[in-house]
Amino acid sequence: MRAKSIKFSDPDMTNQELEVLYRILSSNELSEGSEIESFERSFAQYVRRKFGVSFCSSKVAFFLCLKALGLKKGSEVILSAASWRDLGQVLLWAELTPKYVDIDYWSMAIDPAKIVKALSPKTKALVGLNPNGHPANWPELEKIAKENSLYLIEDATESIGSAYQGKVVGSFGILSIFDFSQPSALVTGRGAMVVTDSEELAFHLRMMRERTAEERKSVVKSRLPSLGCSMSNLEAALGLAQLKRIDSILQKRKDVEAFYTQLLCGFEGIKDPYVSPEATEVHWFSYVVHLGTRFSRSSRDAIIEDLKRENIEAFPYCYPLHISSWAMESGVHKGMLPMTERVADRTIALPFHGLLDFEQVACIVKTLKDASLNVGAGAAIY
């Protein structure tokens, strides 16, 4: 019997969010308004930063961060190819050169040892991603950045609430970027936040983002053209309401994680997500399982199709940036990053949100197990 449709993502909304939206919709401040500044200030405080600058999307936010840092045309930026899907494209739009390095198989985070080998005189920045919510090895990344005079950027788009050695994500590097579209735990529809301790950087980001009516008259503040890409007052109000409930939202997702762990425990051939000893808190972006060594990419795809036939939404966790058509035109090629490609071929992102109950997770796991047996389960993870 087919399951009732189980969605990959379902935002956690309550009457509190509805009341906030009604209040803003009933006001005369839908586009601009005081909620934007309140959300920026509160979010920066949540991740232990001094400044927050909100944007309409994380893609635009990252582009303006690169401009604000003053990276020159042709500069190299080191990053993992198992990163947020738009990252490499933004680097190309900014006329910068992506330099992809491999990952640690278990954490899926960028491998510090591979970064050192990729450095060149043209390298000016390093991007670390907290993949699927698991923090990267930030002490090592900070050390490499400091020793080589690199800007260190934290891609925190998948990791709100996580922590590494007691420090919350969002507090690493010269700046960090968060995304508030689905399937994030905190959802505003669309939107993003850049957090930093640099007052100068925050100032430049705001100037490139948008002008207030008063600032448009200023010779100093209107020196740089703005893109008009701020978050709306409506989105900010929703974000602020979600932020006030974030501990509850994250705990619900933890409960769902516990359901998965209990039901997958001991099933040979499917490994639940890895957590390193240094990761003091991990809040998953989605629930990603690793398949055993006997599975191929085609068998992984067959399992996903079986899940979808049972009305369960599931996806490959990542599509490596270095084998995208636009990236391969620059000379990178399949086979150059074996760990990244191995993870990409053998991972499945399962439905994960706080509204799932035990019976739904049991249905997902049973279907997953049955599908894996159909295509040849039985391999351990090595």
Side-chain angles (χ1 to χ4, degrees), residues 6-21:
I6 300 177
K7 297 297 183 182
F8 184 73
S9 170
D10 193 353
D12 189 329
M13 297 290 168
T14 67
N15 286 335
Q16 290 174 254
E17 284 84 354
L18 294 176
E19 289 169 5
V20 164
L21 291 177

Side-chain angles (χ1 to χ4, degrees), residues 323-340:
I323 56 175
S324 301
S325 57
W326 47 265
M328 295 180 75
E329 291 174 1
S330 65
V332 295
H333 57 84
K334 187 174 176 63
M336 65 182 292
L337 302 175
M339 286 298 101
T340 299

Side-chain angles (χ1 to χ4, degrees), residues 117-137:
K117 295 177 181 178
L119 292 170
S120 81
K122 291 184 178 181
T123 308
K124 302 302 178 185
L126 166 61
V127 180
L129 167 70
N130 304 311
N132 195 45
H134 192 290
N137 187 341

Side-chain angles (χ1 to χ4, degrees), residues 240-258:
L240 195 55
Q242 288 260 284
L243 185 61
K244 289 176 180 177
R245 296 182 49 245
I246 191 63
D247 290 343
S248 170
I249 293 171
L250 292 175
Q251 184 55 54
K252 290 179 185 178
R253 293 165 72 97
K254 274 289 185 187
D255 294 342
V256 174
E257 176 190 342

Side-chain angles (χ1 to χ4, degrees), residues 24-254:
I24 299 300
L25 288 170
S26 301
S27 74
N28 60 357
E29 293 186 331
L30 269 65
S31 297
E32 298 179 0
S34 59
E35 301 288 337
I36 298 172
E37 185 177 343
S38 294
F39 184 37
E40 291 174 337
R41 184 172 57 251
S42 297
F43 192 85
Q45 184 178 20
Y46 174 73
V47 296
R48 316 291 194 269
R49 289 284 202 176
K50 293 180 180 178
F51 306 101
V53 185
S54 60
F55 290 89
C56 61
S57 78
S58 50
K59 186 183 289 188
V60 172
F62 182 54
F63 179 79
L64 290 184
C65 285
L66 297 171
K67 292 298 182 183
L69 291 173
L71 298 182
K72 304 298 183 184
K73 180 179 178 179
S75 296
E76 291 178 352
V77 178
I78 291 179
L79 69 156
S80 157
S83 290
W84 162 44
R85 61 187 180 276
D86 294 324
L87 206 62
Q89 294 179 20
V90 174
L91 290 174
L92 295 179
W93 291 338
E95 299 185 291
L96 302 173
T97 303
K99 200 161 188 181
Y100 300 110
V101 300
D102 219 341
I103 60 174
D104 172 74
Y105 177 76
W106 295 104
S107 70
M108 300 190 292
I110 192 168
D111 186 340
K114 303 293 174 59
I115 294 171
V116 175
K117 295 177 181 178
L119 292 170
S120 81
K122 291 184 178 181
T123 308
K124 302 302 178 185
L126 166 61
V127 180
L129 167 70
N130 304 311
N132 195 45
H134 192 290
N137 187 341
W138 288 105
E140 282 299 309
L141 299 187
E142 289 173 334
K143 180 182 176 183
I144 293 169
K146 183 177 180 180
E147 290 177 349
N148 296 278
S149 301
L150 306 177
Y151 289 119
L152 179 59
I153 299 170
E154 180 184 12
D155 178 358
T157 53
E158 299 183 355
S159 56
I160 186 170
S162 296
Y164 192 85
Q165 294 181 344
K167 288 189 66 177
V168 295
V169 299
S171 62
F172 300 101
I174 190 170
L175 60 86
S176 305
I177 304 172
F178 287 84
D179 183 86
F180 303 134
S181 56
Q182 290 177 249
S184 175
L186 191 159
V187 180
T188 63
R190 291 192 183 274
M193 187 80 72
V194 175
V195 290
T196 181
D197 291 324
S198 169
E199 184 174 10
E200 180 182 5
L201 186 56
F203 175 83
H204 281 299
L205 287 170
R206 289 193 179 103
M207 289 303 98
M208 290 188 290
R209 176 191 66 178
E210 191 69 270
R211 298 282 190 278
T212 65
E214 292 75 19
E215 287 169 342
R216 290 169 196 151
K217 303 172 187 176
S218 168
V219 175
V220 175
K221 293 186 176 182
S222 62
R223 181 168 54 87
L224 290 173
S226 65
L227 288 182
C229 53
S230 63
M231 178 179 280
S232 72
N233 203 46
L234 187 67
E235 291 165 323
L238 181 56
L240 195 55
Q242 288 260 284
L243 185 61
K244 289 176 180 177
R245 296 182 49 245
I246 191 63
D247 290 343
S248 170
I249 293 171
L250 292 175
Q251 184 55 54
K252 290 179 185 178
R253 293 165 72 97
K254 274 289 185 187

